[in-house]
Amino acid sequence: MPRIFKLPHFYHSPIISVVKRARREIDVRKRDLSPTLLDFGPVRFKIARHFGFCYGVENAIEIAYQALAENPNKRIFLLSEIIHNPHVNENLRQRGVQFLMDTAGTSLLPFDVLMPDDVVIVPAFGTTLEVEQSLKERGVTLTAYNTTCPFVEKVWRRSEEIGTQDYTVVIHGKRYHEETRATFSHAQASAPVVVVRDLDEARALAKVISGEEDTAFFFKKFADRFSPGFDPAIHLKRIGVVNQTTMLATETEAIADLLREAIRKTYGDAKMSEHFADTKDTLCYATKENQDATLALIADGGDVAVVVGGYNSSNTSHLVELCQQHLPTYFVRNADELISPKQIRHLELGTKTVQITEDWLSQTTEVPESKTPVNVVLTAGASCPDVLLDEVLQKIVGWFPNTRSVEEVLEPYDTFVEDGLAESL
């Protein structure tokens, strides 16, 4: 049986949580990736099979609120955002939790304010060995409420394992993302490390491995992305690829395949195991499930996609990337961003700016009745509470006349409705 986390009731919802519970119980082995269809008549929602809070996020939230409950008279600090969702982080702030750093690692409060009796929570992304040491010197322990995702820790353990076998760790990730900073720190304790952002950078690294490019090229191309003392002439002879768990799993696999081929061409088939470590088991299953479910959602078709999540959420941005290759897609934080059927405020990934788009939905709400229903593709990042999707869905439904009631739409899930509603109260 999967572990059931005790999350605050206000993160559950009377629609989305019911649907998720029903799909879990109907499809225990998770073999059916087809989207859920919620038919409100003039508007229908196609909802991804997998989305929203993953194991690591639920674990982090449970521990954070446990820390609050168990320490009513102590000061409580978070090293940085618990997860990349402003709704969740703001709720913790309102309950008195203070944040020591921002997501870039910039200090918001000096560590000197901490006392040994203070509670310090480690976020789901983990933290660096340097931060751990700095806090240890101040008598602060991080073991009581460490919410580091178990799958991130698995990447760290595998990195250490291959490092002790004289392999270099190649991290597929965003160099200054919190998780990659933490993984880089842990990995370099036992191995040389280099970070590649995407396939283009992997191709550049492959050229260094094969001798097509020299060390000068490496140091210029990968400036600030390798560990101290890195020597490409030595340290690229034996490598293993791990990833920031929120990256596109298919891209990590493609990068590993590309570098494996460069090793094969350089050293031959017979010596592959001497030069390339198998690290497939470090891919995060939840990230891959969400991405596979999004691909199935896209294949099912729709008129417009709405993806909900924090604007600094890496895993959410990759879901947006997948969707926008096939249909108009809008990345929003919450229902407030849906201003009207004519206007939506959303993050444009290409420019990393928040902008307002006109007529995003009004063209579909005003079409002749013969062209309805409008099909809205809906999914969310791994750090997004169900309640935020619920609010987005209900806001859109409110713009359409003569819609079916929630009770009628959820009728196929009658056996799950009572429990789901209880969770949300």
Side-chain angles (χ1 to χ4, degrees), residues 86-127:
H87 182 80
V88 175
N89 288 299
E90 183 56 30
N91 187 273
L92 290 171
R93 283 193 182 92
Q94 290 173 0
R95 293 168 187 270
V97 177
Q98 300 179 65
F99 289 62
L100 293 167
M101 296 182 290
D102 64 15
T103 56
T106 304
S107 176
L108 300 176
L109 292 171
F111 284 178
D112 288 342
V113 305
L114 296 172
M115 303 295 289
D117 195 45
D118 290 332
V119 173
V120 178
I121 304 172
V122 179
F125 315 101
T127 192

Side-chain angles (χ1 to χ4, degrees), residues 106-161:
T106 304
S107 176
L108 300 176
L109 292 171
F111 284 178
D112 288 342
V113 305
L114 296 172
M115 303 295 289
D117 195 45
D118 290 332
V119 173
V120 178
I121 304 172
V122 179
F125 315 101
T127 192
T128 66
L129 293 174
E130 293 78 13
V131 166
E132 287 183 11
Q133 181 59 32
S134 181
L135 293 176
K136 183 178 180 181
E137 291 170 357
R138 289 166 171 80
V140 177
T141 177
L142 298 177
T143 56
Y145 300 104
N146 184 346
T147 81
T148 304
C149 174
F151 298 99
V152 172
E153 292 179 326
K154 183 177 183 179
V155 171
W156 296 352
R157 289 193 299 271
R158 190 72 176 107
S159 297
E160 179 182 7
E161 181 182 335

Side-chain angles (χ1 to χ4, degrees), residues 195-214:
V195 179
V196 296
R197 173 65 179 80
D198 50 31
L199 271 168
D200 285 342
E201 291 192 359
R203 292 187 186 98
L205 192 67
K207 289 180 179 179
V208 180
I209 290 171
S210 66
E212 187 177 341
E213 295 287 358
D214 59 13

Side-chain angles (χ1 to χ4, degrees), residues 208-234:
V208 180
I209 290 171
S210 66
E212 187 177 341
E213 295 287 358
D214 59 13
T215 56
F217 170 85
F218 173 87
F219 289 124
K220 181 178 180 181
K221 182 70 176 178
F222 295 95
D224 83 348
R225 276 171 283 174
F226 53 83
S227 54
F230 196 101
D231 184 345
I234 297 172

Side-chain angles (χ1 to χ4, degrees), residues 12 35 63 99 121 148 155 175 209 223 237 252 336 355 370 405:
H12 297 285
I63 293 173
F99 289 62
I121 304 172
T148 304
V155 171
R175 176 63 183 93
I209 290 171
K237 291 181 178 181
T252 299
D336 292 341
Q355 62 185 46
S370 61
S405 68

